Amino acid sequence: AGIALVTDVVVNNGSVKVTDSKARTTELSSINSKIGLRLPGKQSTLDLDMVLVAKGNESKVHADGRITPKKTDSKTGWTLKDSDGDLNIEIDELDVESLEPFFELVGIDVKAKGNVSANLKSEIRGGQIANLSGKVNGSRLDVTAAQLKGDRLQTTALDADIKLTRKDRMISIDNLKLKTDWADLNATVAVPTTLKSLDSILDPDS
């Protein structure tokens, strides 16, 4: 039989340094976190504050959340599948280039420059994001990645404001405002989450 673990994991003033193959070092410092793990069916919690330090610059990161995994009779234990909860993230003036050592660590080919701030709030239902709202602001952004196939994302300024909800197989973007050097968008739209949903939309009999 498995062992059920109920515990609090606390980190006070912790730090982690990552150095990549180009000798660039990024440090996660002043890590203060508390994770409260509870049995499936009961609420687990996360509260995290830290400072990302690179090239003499500091960026503050905060995250907090609550998650309640579904209680089941199976022996799978703790899982995010079918969980309900919320997650909030705040980022203050993050130098995105400082993330490159972490990208290399996990094998992601991304090169990025510029600064980003964000304030995002989300609600999770059934293990998926049901609601998401927030703002993202950026400056002097220049991003290249393998997924862009030679293209790059560049803008001297980025202002984004989004609010979306998910229901069944549709995502409703209730509010999307995006302003960059090359776009000024204000939209409300609903999009399918699966190909089957898209087929149903294109079906003339629907």
Side-chain angles (χ1 to χ4, degrees), residues 170 192 195-206:
M170 298 297 295
L195 181 60
K196 185 175 181 181
S197 299
L198 182 57
D199 290 341
S200 66
I201 290 176
L202 298 178
D203 187 345
D205 294 329
S206 62

Side-chain angles (χ1 to χ4, degrees), residues 3 19 39 41 61-62 88 94 96 110 112 121 127 129 136 148 154 163 170 174 180 188 190 193 204:
I3 298 176
T19 301
L39 295 171
V61 178
H62 170 79
N88 307 308
L94 174 66
V96 293
V110 176
K121 300 181 183 297
I129 293 178
V136 178
L148 295 177
Q154 287 182 304
K163 180 180 180 182
M170 298 297 295
D174 304 315
T180 67
T188 299
T193 61

Side-chain angles (χ1 to χ4, degrees), residues 7 9 18 36 46 60 105 110 113 168 179 191 202-203 206:
T7 186
V9 180
V18 176
L46 164 70
K60 293 182 179 180
L105 181 66
V110 176
K113 294 182 180 180
D168 299 326
K179 188 173 183 180
V191 296
L202 298 178
D203 187 345
S206 62

